[in-house]
Amino acid sequence: MSAVSGNLASGGAKTPVKAPVAKSSLWRQSIRRLMRNKLAVSGFVTVVFMILLCFIGPLFSPYSGNHNNLAMMNKPPSAQHWLGTDKLGRDILTRVMLAGRISLTVGFASMVLSVFIGSLLGAIAGYYRGVVDQIIMRIADLLLTIPSLPLLFIAGAMLSAWKVPTDYRMYIVMLMLSVVGWPGLARLVRGEMLSLREREYMQATIVLGLRDRRKLFHHLLPNITPLLIVIATLNIGGSILMESVLSFFGLGVIQPTPTWGNMIDAANNLIDFQERPWLWVPPGLCIFITVIAINIFGDGLRDVLDPKHKR
Amino acid sequence: MASHLLDIEHLSTYFYTEEGTVKAVDDVSLQVRKGETVCIVGESGCGKSITAMSVMGLIQGPSGKVVSGKIDLEGTDLLKLNRNERRVIRGKEIGMIFQEPMSSLNPVLTIGQQIMEPLIEHLRMSKKEARKRAIELIEQVGISRAEQIANSYPHELSGGMLQRIMIAIAISCEPKLLIADEPTTALDVTIQAQILDILRNFREETGMSILLITHDLGVVAEMADYVIVMYSGKVVEEGEVTELFANPRHPYTQGLLKAKPILNQRQDELYSIPGQVPNPLDLTESCYFHDRCEHCLEICKVQAPELQELGTEQKVACWLYEKEATARV
């Protein structure tokens, strides 16, 4: 509440407004409020830490991800191999960090793609309504009615059947995840658009004779940016989880390219599961920590940015 | 007679509701000459805003429709243009100001960005030029610290300032016609005068015409060259402003003028026209004002009067002024 009253005090027309603050006051306020939420900040710090660990960490590692060392198979954590080695003598720590690169990239990229597709189609559907709306939303409904996991399994199995090279699989998995990710988002954006397009200031843009493209992207989309940021953040966590599930079943990104999901695959083997927890606990923890951190941060963002979720 | 900038002929705009057809604008004709201010006056629901919206092409969707008529802007019939041609005219040739400045600006864009939009769209300015022009425009509507205001968001300004910004946006492309739909209704009286001053100055500088829609006769007296009085979707009287104020003919106009408080004159009770605006759904073939009229004749209840010229520059639609009507009674 103090933020609101502060805003009123500085927003009066007759009181002088400090120019640099006026420009970004909305965003600054949000950031200030977010900083007050300790849990969200800790989530953010954790995510940044994981990103730094995965992208910079391997540079300091003496091992490469695919370097086999048959003399050092299945060794428990030691001074040379902090998290031990796997059945081919590869350093687990290095592989976990490299796997993080893939998992985070896939999560982030598929989020960008699904937010892009979802908000574009949702905006078009909500703005134009009529036939366009019907077509887009029925496709979205169709995708929503099919549970996404089986759909992804089928797609993954097709990739395996066609023997798609492992380097490409990462990109195809991104695409697959965004295909199942956009419909929910499109619905949300469409709903917002339906209510926004009837606002008086949108009628004012008609009077100005602006093109539809300008109206959509310059006037309407900025109105839902906070919402999109929140969804996008929460979406990354979901995508990472999805990718892990797929890779765990050998249907996402496959060995030898490491991802957190296909590393936990080791837990499938009873001996590895019981005797060699260093094989699967680190990637599992990474998924757990990253996804939890992203979700906590996303919830904090929502409290700040989305007016409908204010408690 | 000077040439007409805007020539509306027999315009009818209907709304189709479940209960029936609402004739919001019924066979309205009006002309706006170059550099002239025409005021449309009337109570709420008399169709004055719908007339303006019809000109702007804002009547859309399944329920509302411009049924017939012609809206000529310098010889081109706006109703015959396609969507895109119409869009180009909006904002460039015709500007419009709304009643509620607070809700007419996008809350998430800065004032500067919103003034720049039509400049970039219609005058093909670069962002830099548009910004420069936007700041000039803010200064022109009498706001100091223009640079700073351009960077602020609508919620940081007062209603009066926002209405000036709306004017700045509407005149940014120097339109030939400015439609102002109750521009001062939502503002307090001291600001009203300033807003009207700005409009008047612009008219004198650029020679644009203004179609001003209001229910405030004070505003009419101050601004108008020519007045059109509407009632229930029809024009009941029109004329030169001085003539109309001095010599109102239609009983409705007389009532409106009587209902205005006069400064320095104590009145026990302000006059009000008895009754209410008829329900637009069940209008019958009659003068729509007949049940509120003090001078109601028999014919008023069965037949609607035509708009007829009375002397110079004044027209009225009332049986009282039809010779044959008086003869028949």
Side-chain angles (χ1 to χ4, degrees), chain B residues 157-197:
Chain B
L157 306 184
S158 67
M161 279 178 127
L162 289 179
Q163 193 60 292
R164 290 169 197 232
I165 299 295
M166 288 306 294
I167 294 176
I169 295 175
I171 60 170
S172 59
C173 299
E174 293 179 358
K176 298 186 179 109
L177 175 69
L178 182 73
I179 300 180
D181 188 354
E182 311 223 11
T184 57
T185 308
L187 306 174
D188 57 69
V189 188
T190 47
I191 310 287
Q192 273 190 17
Q194 297 173 8
I195 295 291
L196 294 179
D197 274 344

Side-chain angles (χ1 to χ4, degrees), chain B residues 247-315:
Chain B
N247 244 332
R249 307 293 179 111
H250 197 281
Y252 177 63
T253 320
Q254 291 168 356
L256 276 184
L257 285 169
K258 248 202 261 176
K260 194 170 164 39
I262 301 160
L263 211 60
N264 294 331
Q265 223 178 72
R266 215 164 251 292
Q267 285 164 292
D268 287 336
E269 205 175 317
L270 202 56
Y271 175 80
S272 68
I273 303 175
Q276 278 175 353
V277 186
N279 182 351
L281 280 170
D282 42 44
L283 290 178
T284 46
E285 211 19 60
S286 69
C287 171
Y288 298 151
F289 192 61
H290 77 267
D291 50 350
R292 301 173 75 185
C293 184
E294 294 167 352
H295 313 283
C296 181
L297 307 173
E298 274 315 303
I299 189 166
C300 299
K301 293 174 189 165
V302 290
Q303 200 179 339
E306 294 279 321
L307 201 63
Q308 52 154 342
E309 264 182 70
L310 268 188
T312 50
E313 293 286 324
Q314 194 166 5
K315 290 179 192 168

Side-chain angles (χ1 to χ4, degrees), chain A residues 289-302:
Chain A
I289 292 171
T290 311
V291 173
I292 290 267
I294 288 175
N295 284 352
I296 287 174
F297 177 58
D299 277 342
L301 265 184
R302 172 156 59 196

Side-chain angles (χ1 to χ4, degrees), chain A residues 104-165:
Chain A
L104 289 171
T105 312
V106 168
F108 192 77
S110 72
M111 174 278 285
V112 170
L113 207 59
S114 59
V115 165
F116 177 76
I117 301 173
S119 55
L120 185 71
L121 291 181
I124 289 172
Y127 184 76
Y128 288 103
R129 298 189 293 186
V131 186
V132 190
D133 182 24
Q134 286 293 322
I135 294 172
I136 292 176
M137 289 330 284
R138 290 306 78 79
I139 295 174
D141 284 347
L142 194 74
L143 279 168
L144 281 171
T145 47
I146 307 171
S148 47
L149 218 46
L151 197 68
L152 289 173
F153 277 10
I154 294 168
M158 275 158 67
L159 288 185
S160 298
W162 291 335
K163 300 211 166 45
V164 176

Side-chain angles (χ1 to χ4, degrees), chain A residues 56-73:
Chain A
I56 299 178
L59 304 178
F60 296 99
S61 163
Y63 310 101
S64 82
N66 290 328
H67 175 73
N68 298 356
N69 185 351
L70 297 182
M72 291 293 285
M73 285 183 342

Side-chain angles (χ1 to χ4, degrees), chain A residues 7 11-13 17 19 22-23 25-26 200-201 203-204 206-212 214 218-219 222-223, chain B residues 56 58 83 87 90-91 96 98 100 103-104 106-109 117 121-122 124 148 153 155-156 158 161 169:
Chain A
N7 167 31
V17 189
K23 168 116 190 151
S25 62
L26 291 171
E200 217 169 299
Y201 54 79
Q203 200 165 53
I206 301 179
V207 166
L208 292 180
L210 300 184
R211 268 166 229 275
D212 287 353
R214 280 199 97 79
H218 284 223
H219 283 260
N223 272 293
Chain B
M56 263 327 216
L58 292 176
R83 232 174 93 94
R87 179 183 65 71
R90 286 199 285 251
M96 187 162 177
F98 290 101
E100 283 285 345
S103 52
S104 300
N106 197 331
V108 299
L109 300 179
E117 293 273 338
E121 179 75 53
H122 293 297
R124 305 252 162 259
Q148 222 172 312
Y153 288 90
H155 74 271
E156 294 169 320
S158 67
M161 279 178 127
I169 295 175

